Each structure stands twice: as structure tokens, then as C-alpha cells.
Amino acid sequence: MAFCSKDPTSIDQARDFLVAHRKEKLFAAQDGMSLCLHSGSLEFHEARKVMGDAFGGETAKEGGVLLNTFLAPLGMLKDGPKAKKDRQEANAFCLGFFANELYQKNGLIMGIKDDQDELQSVVVFREYDPAREHRSGPKIVEKISEFIRNIRTYIMIQSDPLGVPEFFADKDRMKEFNKSMKKLEAVGDPMRELHEQYGPKDTHWYVGIVASNPKCQGSGYCKEAMDILCKAADECGVECYLECEEKNKGYYEKFQYKSVKKLVKKFALEAAGGLGSPDWHLMVRQPC
């Protein structure tokens, strides 16, 4: 597999490591940005489905509280199959934008499939250079780039097999959804500031999404993906950074992540209308 980067980055090194150390069934997608273990290729809509199901949750309490909090006005935190379906589709839609942003900013999407070629876990991470982030250019240029990327992402999501959420057909609900997403966007800047303040000061990997099919949790698929990520980080000598809810802190500690800052309730969501949140942790892993 050939890589054309004239100035190899740690993500290039990660791809090289994963390809060089692959098992017989490791598959590297043609674009070199997505890797999948066990069989087949990793398609974007498959990753979105796993992320949506995981963060949407079988029940609202089991899912990711941050995004689901903003879906409350749409009645998606209720029990029942309709609320669950809407909640998971909304999460798949929103996380598709976040995953593609990570991907486009020198990122990598990695997944684990089972023997039936079903994707069971996904990890999305990107190289994060604090110095380069400061040199990103005028705000207006960033906003234009973000707008163009979001348009392209929407077109990609609209045309993939999973598509956009069915509730988008209801204009009133879609209008309410857009209002909620505007509030969610307000969380972005505080989170970036916290990353800058408490995250590694040198180039590192920002692990933005870790998701596992809720129907197969406990089967080891997410652990396998995290083990591989840790081995790649160790091989490349790169620190890793992530944010997680209190309930997931212990899980990441198993992979040598340590909390560098605990964020108490309403830490950043006050900027988004005073909505509450669980306690969160900013976590850093040093290479072994």
C-alpha cells in the first residue's frame, strides 16, 4: 500500500503500523484512511450506524448523554421503539459530521467486524498539533471551510444507504432539531479551549469517537480496537487525548488513560442554554 504524503505525519505512521502488523484478515480501504479488521471494507454508513446505535442507546440512559440532552425537546428521551429509532438516527446523523471532520483533518477511521462481516466497533481519531491549530488562519476562513465541509458531508450522508433521519420529513420536528443543534454548536468552543488547556502540548492523537454496537457490548470488539490503537500509539511514540463521561472513566483507565481534569455538571453546556450534563473527564494516555 503506497502513501503519497511528502511529509509523513503520525497518522501516516499509524496506517503503516496497522498495515505492516495486520493479520491475514486485516483490510485497508483504498483511500488509506479507513481500516477494518476481520473482513470486508469499512463503509462510512456502517460506521455511522454503529455510532448512532451506541450513542443513541437501547434506552436514553444507556446512550451518550451530551447529544441526547439536546434531543430532549423532540421527545427522543422517552421509552419505546419510536423514540429509540429517532434518537439513534439523530445520533448517526450528527456524529457523521463529527467523524468526517476528524477524518478530513488528517484522521483515521478504524473498525472491527465480526465473522459475518458486520461492523461491531469504531474508533475515529486524528492528529492534533496545538501549534498548527493556533496558525489555522482568520475565523472567517475557518467558517467558510467548515460550511463547505458540512455541505459535502450532508450530500454524502443523504446519498448513503443509511440516509438522513426519517423524522426530517416532519418540517416542525426538523425545525426543532435545527434549533437544538445550534445550541449544541455552542459547546464546541469551550471544549476546544479545555483541550488546549489540559491536553498534551505536543502533537498527539485526539480520539474523538469510540463506539460499539450496544447489542454486542461485552464481546470484546471495542477492546480489540482500543488495544490496536494503543499499540499504534506506542509504536509511534504519541500521546492520546479524549473526553468521556464519568461512567466510562474506568473503562479507559484499563488502557492507561488518566484523568487530567474533571468537569462538574453543567461545565460547558451553560453556554448552550443552561442544559445539564453528567460529570466529564479529560483523559490523557502516555505512550509506553
Side-chain angles (χ1 to χ4, degrees), residues 226-240:
M226 288 298 294
D227 281 339
I228 293 169
L229 176 65
C230 290
K231 290 177 182 177
D234 292 341
E235 179 73 13
C236 299
V238 178
E239 294 175 278
C240 295

Side-chain angles (χ1 to χ4, degrees), residues 123-155:
V123 175
V124 187
F125 63 103
R126 79 168 179 99
E127 184 179 77
Y128 190 99
D129 180 353
R132 183 176 296 176
E133 296 294 320
H134 282 295
R135 301 194 304 267
S136 57
K139 285 287 184 181
I140 184 64
V141 176
E142 290 182 34
K143 291 295 183 181
I144 293 173
S145 297
E146 181 182 1
F147 176 77
I148 294 173
R149 183 178 63 248
N150 286 342
I151 291 295
R152 290 174 174 171
T153 303
Y154 183 85
I155 293 172

Side-chain angles (χ1 to χ4, degrees), residues 43-49 92-93 96 153-164:
E43 300 292 342
F44 188 56
H45 72 274
E46 294 178 303
R48 288 206 302 120
K49 180 69 165 61
F93 179 78
T153 303
Y154 183 85
I155 293 172
M156 180 169 60
I157 288 174
Q158 190 178 40
S159 61
D160 78 20
L162 195 59
V164 300

Side-chain angles (χ1 to χ4, degrees), residues 45-58 63-64 67-68 84-96 162 209 211-212 214:
H45 72 274
E46 294 178 303
R48 288 206 302 120
K49 180 69 165 61
V50 171
M51 293 186 296
D53 288 355
F55 284 86
E58 290 295 296
L67 181 55
N68 286 342
K84 169 187 167 182
K85 181 177 183 296
D86 287 347
R87 187 172 62 247
Q88 291 181 336
E89 287 184 356
N91 274 269
F93 179 78
C94 295
L95 289 168
L162 195 59
I209 299 174
S212 179

Side-chain angles (χ1 to χ4, degrees), residues 193-228:
E193 291 172 5
L194 289 166
H195 185 168
E196 180 179 330
Q197 183 176 358
Y198 296 102
K201 305 309 177 187
D202 295 323
T203 299
H204 56 279
W205 291 350
Y206 171 40
V207 184
I209 299 174
V210 178
S212 179
N213 182 349
K215 296 179 181 179
C216 294
Q217 284 182 353
S219 301
Y221 293 109
C222 196
K223 179 181 182 302
E224 185 174 358
M226 288 298 294
D227 281 339
I228 293 169

